[in-house]
Amino acid sequence: MTSLNDLEECAKDLLTQCNDLRVFAFNGEMGAGKTTLIKELCKSLQVIDQVNSPTFSIINEYETLDNNIIYHADFYRIKDEQEAVNIGFMDYLDSGSYCFIEWAEKINNLLPQDTVKVQIFVTSEGREVKIDH
């Protein structure tokens, strides 16, 4: 478990530990800090666009300083996995770009085997992150 108390350090550690992996599934209760951690990851990856939760748009696309693309999905509002397939999400997963997915448990069966699973827990001491890859 890693603490989210130092967001910058947590994001850099996560990217270093998983440097060859591109799909990250974020799970945690509402308000746990999924979007906040993803914003910090995007900052570490030098995103030049405004990073916001894609709750209503479902998928946001960000450009980095070196012209790479990062995808940020939020599946809180989808009904089932077929809805994600219908919007073409498999193409995002196959792109080779970073894909940061909030509420990933809703599309568990669609995720590649090498997906990094990031679980955020709210504890009495703050927020803790468990990474499984």
Side-chain angles (χ1 to χ4, degrees), residues 19-30:
N19 67 351
D20 292 336
L21 302 173
R22 293 294 179 261
V23 178
F24 291 73
F26 293 82
N27 294 303
E29 64 186 59
M30 183 78 72

Side-chain angles (χ1 to χ4, degrees), residues 17-133:
Q17 286 180 42
C18 307
N19 67 351
D20 292 336
L21 302 173
R22 293 294 179 261
V23 178
F24 291 73
F26 293 82
N27 294 303
E29 64 186 59
M30 183 78 72
K34 296 178 293 293
T35 301
T36 302
L37 179 53
I38 290 170
K39 284 181 180 182
E40 194 62 40
L41 289 164
C42 287
K43 181 179 170 186
S44 292
L45 293 167
Q46 299 182 310
V47 165
I48 58 176
D49 297 314
Q50 178 77 23
V51 177
N52 293 309
S53 176
T55 301
F56 294 101
S57 60
I58 301 179
I59 300 172
N60 287 346
E61 181 177 305
Y62 311 123
E63 187 176 350
T64 66
L65 199 56
D66 54 358
N67 298 315
N68 288 316
I69 299 297
I70 294 174
Y71 299 108
H72 178 192
D74 183 332
F75 289 121
Y76 179 74
R77 296 193 178 282
I78 68 165
K79 294 175 188 79
D80 55 35
E81 291 176 345
Q82 189 58 48
E83 191 174 340
V85 170
N86 291 346
I87 63 170
F89 191 65
M90 302 309 291
D91 292 336
Y92 295 96
L93 292 175
D94 294 337
S95 70
S97 296
Y98 279 102
C99 292
F100 299 135
I101 309 160
E102 297 187 49
W103 299 98
E105 66 269 19
K106 291 192 164 199
I107 61 156
N108 237 6
N109 294 321
L110 302 178
L111 297 174
Q113 197 166 357
D114 63 351
T115 297
V116 178
K117 294 183 174 139
V118 182
Q119 181 72 42
I120 302 175
F121 300 94
V122 179
T123 68
S124 58
E125 288 85 38
R127 288 167 172 79
E128 300 290 325
V129 178
K130 180 182 176 195
I131 301 163
D132 183 21
H133 60 92

